Amino acid sequence: MRLVIATCSVTYAGRLNAHLPLATRLLMIKADGAVLVHSDGGSYKPLNWMSPPAALRISEPAGDEAEAGIAEVWTVSAEKSDDTLSILIQEIHHDSSHELGTDPGLVKDGVEADLQRLLAAQMTRLGNGYSLIRREHVTPIGPVDILAKGPDGTVAVELKRRGDIDGVEQLTRYLDLLNRDPLLAPVTGVLAAQQIKPQARTLAEDRGIRCVVLDYEDMKGEQAGEPRLF
């Protein structure tokens, strides 16, 4: 990765046109061909960028650009379109290159797969008398996260980090299909999530679906055998 801090102006031409007036910015040139223009604010989001695959060409200024004090002209061209990112550099304050190596990727904690694994081992989170039948129960329209045995029969559990109306609709479709199977019917539903939006809760309860809020940190602690006060 090459990092350049430069006083520059930036113009994007293509699907849309955008211009950044002369200012000091951070230019990131990544090994995959991406070029990103950052300011000292705006969090992680660049002011402008060119996604890979792209080619960077550096040339000498000519005519009005040279007279305006431009030292270098960077032209970044997209390989799959006519889009271009033109960077007119007046002065470079810092220029360094770094070999970052292969990145192992982001390891997420608390995703739906983690909730499913923990809940399958802690079915009493749904209440007394619940036991696991299977995880990822296959149906023609997709897998049900958890199929369980409850005090009153079969239960389909849909797991979400944040339960919203889409989750309720998804579980409704599963229930409609599962209740056509005489070996499983009657099947009731549980929407289990770390957070459940009020609109989703209202819709779920209207359809006879029970909502359960899961405490992920507490579930992890129980799995690890950590002592708890209660």
Side-chain angles (χ1 to χ4, degrees), residues 174-196:
Y174 288 144
L175 290 173
D176 180 64
L177 194 65
L178 292 170
N179 274 300
R180 300 177 195 176
D181 186 341
L183 298 178
L184 295 176
V187 184
T188 57
V190 171
L191 177 66
Q194 290 176 265
Q195 299 174 10
I196 299 178

Side-chain angles (χ1 to χ4, degrees), residues 117-215:
R117 173 178 53 81
L118 290 170
L119 183 59
Q122 303 172 34
M123 293 302 296
T124 54
R125 297 275 175 177
L126 301 180
N128 294 326
Y130 283 83
S131 59
L132 177 69
I133 296 177
R134 67 178 61 87
R135 295 167 56 184
E136 297 289 333
H137 177 73
V138 178
T139 78
I141 60 173
V144 177
D145 289 331
I146 287 180
L147 196 67
K149 184 69 175 178
D152 301 315
T154 310
V155 180
V157 183
E158 180 64 25
L159 284 157
K160 299 291 184 185
R161 290 184 65 246
R162 294 180 178 84
D164 56 18
I165 287 178
D166 287 344
V168 178
E169 296 289 0
Q170 184 179 0
L171 181 52
T172 300
R173 292 192 293 271
Y174 288 144
L175 290 173
D176 180 64
L177 194 65
L178 292 170
N179 274 300
R180 300 177 195 176
D181 186 341
L183 298 178
L184 295 176
V187 184
T188 57
V190 171
L191 177 66
Q194 290 176 265
Q195 299 174 10
I196 299 178
K197 294 183 178 180
Q199 300 93 327
R201 183 181 292 275
T202 298
L203 180 62
E205 292 174 351
D206 182 68
R207 295 183 177 180
I209 295 172
R210 188 160 68 94
C211 294
V212 175
V213 176
L214 300 174
D215 186 333

